Amino acid sequence: MKRLSGWAGEHFGVTLQTIDSPFDLELEDVVGVALRRNPRRAHLLVSTVLGKHIPLSPELAAAAGRLLGELVAAALTGPTDRPPWEIDRGAWSFDVASAIRHNDPAALVGRLDAAAGARPEYPALVLGFAETATSLGHLVADQLNASAYLHSTRRWVKGAGVAATFEEGHSHAAEHLLLPVPEDLLDAADVLVLVDDELSTGTTAMQTITAAHARRPRERYVLAGLVDLRSGADQTRLTELAGRLNCRIEVVSLVRGTIALPSGLLSAVTAGLAANTPAEATAGRARRPRAFGAEGRCEPTHLQRIDLPWPAAVPDGGRHGFLLGDRADFSPAVDAAAQVIDDALPAAGSVIVVGHEELMYLPLQIARRLAASGRHDVVFQSTTRSPIYVRDEDGYPIRRGWSFIDLEGDDTPTPLPTDRFLYNAADPTNSQPPEPGSLVFVIDAAADSGALAAAGGALAEFETVCGTVLLAVLPAPGPAALADRRSAPGP
């Protein structure tokens, strides 16, 4: 039986249907359907467990990503006569669905900690897709204890060579770069695990596998996503690819299902947007919440910049690769950064930790540390390049939005959209935003530009979200320092 997908289903006929889940989850437990201004694709699945467009408990985001990693581990280390999506239910009799649905991840995180702690290093390279799955892929690598993690990027970084490129056809910023340091990190390990938040057709992953296999043939690949909506034809194409490459390609997800898109959806959405008022039709432009005052603004009580301590030779994420051995120095560096932020925050109150585009994993870990202190009610999310239709209606996942100028500037060979966006900054099931608290915006030095404080810049926009805004800046990424540290090839 098909389920209407909230407001998008009621007004445009987009429907989702769950097929199965190793943890008895439904698609509606982990995603909602939004509409976007994109000439290639009119709909967008908005994850409720990722921490991208919807702020959520950092522990829930960590639990969902690591749960996907547990499925990858089951596929790679479990019995070969069992399909990869059939996890050992005896070992996982814990009610995962309840933990996800009721935002109660503490016991689940404990189970995941125990499972990862008992697992030795697994010789795999995990690859996350930018920008949405950069943190998700890192969490999968954490749970698997993978030898190395790398995510694709849209940023051109001086001093880092481009090992490979590929295209994501439906994206606003389609070109992906792989910038591993050293370059042969891309060839490490006999197993390649590819992680994305959504497997819609699998085309991007298939192109990536084809390119990676041409560079360094492997016998085994695993494709992992929070949701798998591939059609039968898509699955056949993947099987045929495995046959041509003479390799094994397995797929795991928290939920498998289907999505039905009515004919003419793109033109219907375009016409529907045009029929609305400019404030509603301009995707991502802020609809100022009335709860913030008669003029729609919450005047900030505090605006502060913090320069975070960070060792030059410790990766702040997976853009240039993250080795299992990097954890030993990464964890205390996160502790130090979180402490500096905690010292600058008010003694108590709500805190939104916001990552910047691809920089998601480190802000997530900072948010987890802040939440663990018990002083703050903490949620986590990040900004995005994706222009999404904002609609303050029950059943629609993007209830409010703010747009701001690109912080990094368009210095890439392929022109990219200039606007960036922050959505919701509150639970979308609640039409009222939270009481003004603190917003911590974590960026690296490449985004520390004049656009931050310009008219229409991020700081001006974020001042309307919370009473206190902390700009937390990491030092410039250091591919040269990483190269010195990793003088031995591969993990």
Side-chain angles (χ1 to χ4, degrees):
M1 179 178 180
K2 291 181 178 178
R3 297 179 176 85
L4 285 175
S5 302
W7 189 88
E10 294 171 4
H11 292 268
F12 291 93
V14 181
T15 56
L16 294 173
Q17 181 178 9
T18 300
I19 295 176
D20 60 31
S21 164
F23 303 112
D24 299 321
L25 290 162
E26 301 285 341
L27 284 173
E28 286 81 0
D29 292 327
V30 295
V31 293
V33 179
L35 305 173
R36 63 180 181 176
R37 300 179 67 88
N38 186 324
R40 303 178 185 92
R41 182 182 291 179
H43 73 283
L44 177 72
L45 290 188
V46 176
S47 173
T48 57
V49 297
L50 185 65
K52 188 64 175 175
H53 307 99
I54 296 175
L56 73 158
S57 155
E59 287 299 287
L60 181 60
R66 292 178 57 196
L67 194 62
L68 182 60
E70 195 62 29
L71 284 178
V72 173
L76 292 174
T77 64
T80 57
D81 60 348
R82 188 175 67 213
W85 58 84
E86 291 186 3
I87 197 167
D88 184 350
R89 288 181 178 268
W92 280 90
S93 57
F94 178 81
D95 192 348
V96 170
S98 177
I100 298 294
R101 288 171 185 151
H102 297 104
N103 188 20
D104 186 19
L108 175 56
V109 170
R111 294 292 294 269
L112 291 163
D113 284 343
R119 182 173 296 123
E121 177 177 349
Y122 194 90
L125 170 64
V126 178
L127 176 63
F129 289 102
E131 66 182 48
T132 308
T134 55
S135 180
L136 179 64
H138 207 143
L139 292 165
V140 168
D142 285 347
Q143 191 65 23
L144 182 61
N145 282 335
S147 300
Y149 173 64
L150 176 70
H151 71 69
S152 64
T153 182
R154 274 84 177 244
R155 178 191 288 180
W156 293 79
V157 179
K158 293 180 180 179
V162 179
T165 63
F166 59 90
E167 296 288 322
E168 183 182 6
H170 64 268
S171 173
H172 273 77
E175 186 176 33
H176 288 247
L177 311 172
L178 294 179
L179 310 178
V181 176
E183 185 174 321
D184 61 6
L185 179 66
L186 188 59
D187 305 323
D190 294 332
V191 175
L192 180 62
V193 179
L194 301 98
V195 182
D196 211 346
D197 60 318
E198 166 201 345
L199 308 178
S200 53
T201 66
T203 299
T204 301
M206 290 173 61
Q207 293 174 348
T208 307
I209 289 173
T210 300
H213 198 81
R215 177 185 175 104
R216 200 277 203 193
R218 291 175 169 90
E219 295 182 357
R220 197 171 190 184
Y221 299 85
V222 177
L223 177 57
L226 293 174
V227 297
D228 179 3
L229 300 179
R230 294 172 306 131
S231 67
D234 295 327
Q235 296 173 41
T236 298
R237 290 192 304 123
L238 187 65
T239 300
E240 292 172 347
L241 175 64
R244 290 196 302 272
L245 300 182
N246 191 27
C247 66
R248 183 178 178 184
I249 305 176
E250 297 154 288
V251 182
V252 298
S253 64
L254 298 189
V255 192
R256 284 200 307 145
T258 61
I259 184 168
L261 304 173
S263 176
L265 176 64
L266 186 59
S267 58
V269 168
T270 301
L273 296 183
N276 285 280
T277 63
E280 294 175 333
T282 304
R285 297 291 181 183
R287 294 186 62 200
R288 306 296 187 197
R290 286 191 295 269
F292 283 148
E295 297 181 359
R297 292 183 63 87
C298 169
E299 294 301 329
T301 59
H302 193 58
L303 174 60
Q304 181 180 353
R305 174 196 168 102
I306 303 171
D307 290 309
L308 296 178
W310 196 264
V314 176
D316 57 17
R319 179 178 286 117
H320 304 300
F322 191 102
L323 309 185
L324 187 63
D326 289 326
R327 286 189 192 176
D329 293 326
F330 180 83
S331 184
V334 174
D335 290 340
Q339 187 62 58
V340 170
I341 292 172
D342 202 2
D343 290 344
L345 287 169
S350 64
V351 177
I352 305 174
V353 178
V354 178
H356 176 240
E357 296 184 25
E358 298 170 6
L359 183 63
M360 293 183 65
Y361 181 76
L362 174 55
L364 171 62
Q365 299 306 325
I366 289 174
R368 295 183 70 191
R369 303 298 203 278
L370 294 176
S373 74
R375 296 177 57 213
H376 312 284
D377 180 13
V378 181
V379 293
F380 162 76
Q381 69 177 118
S382 79
T383 63
T384 177
R385 296 171 182 258
S386 184
I388 309 173
Y389 178 39
V390 174
R391 182 83 184 185
D392 195 6
E393 298 277 358
D394 289 342
Y396 190 74
I398 304 297
R399 303 290 289 268
R400 55 192 62 83
W402 293 262
S403 66
F404 58 94
I405 303 167
D406 172 20
L407 300 182
E408 298 176 26
D410 189 8
D411 59 354
T412 63
T414 304
L416 299 175
T418 56
D419 282 346
R420 300 295 186 262
F421 308 94
L422 175 71
Y423 294 112
N424 287 315
D427 183 347
T429 63
N430 181 354
S431 62
Q432 297 299 321
E435 290 299 316
S438 301
L439 186 150
V440 180
F441 187 32
V442 183
I443 65 173
D444 62 31
D448 185 18
S449 66
L452 273 168
L459 295 182
E461 291 296 304
F462 294 169
E463 286 175 2
T464 71
V465 180
C466 285
T468 297
V469 177
L470 299 183
L471 176 66
V473 184
L474 289 158
L482 290 181
D484 291 341
R485 181 177 184 175
R486 299 171 180 170
S487 56

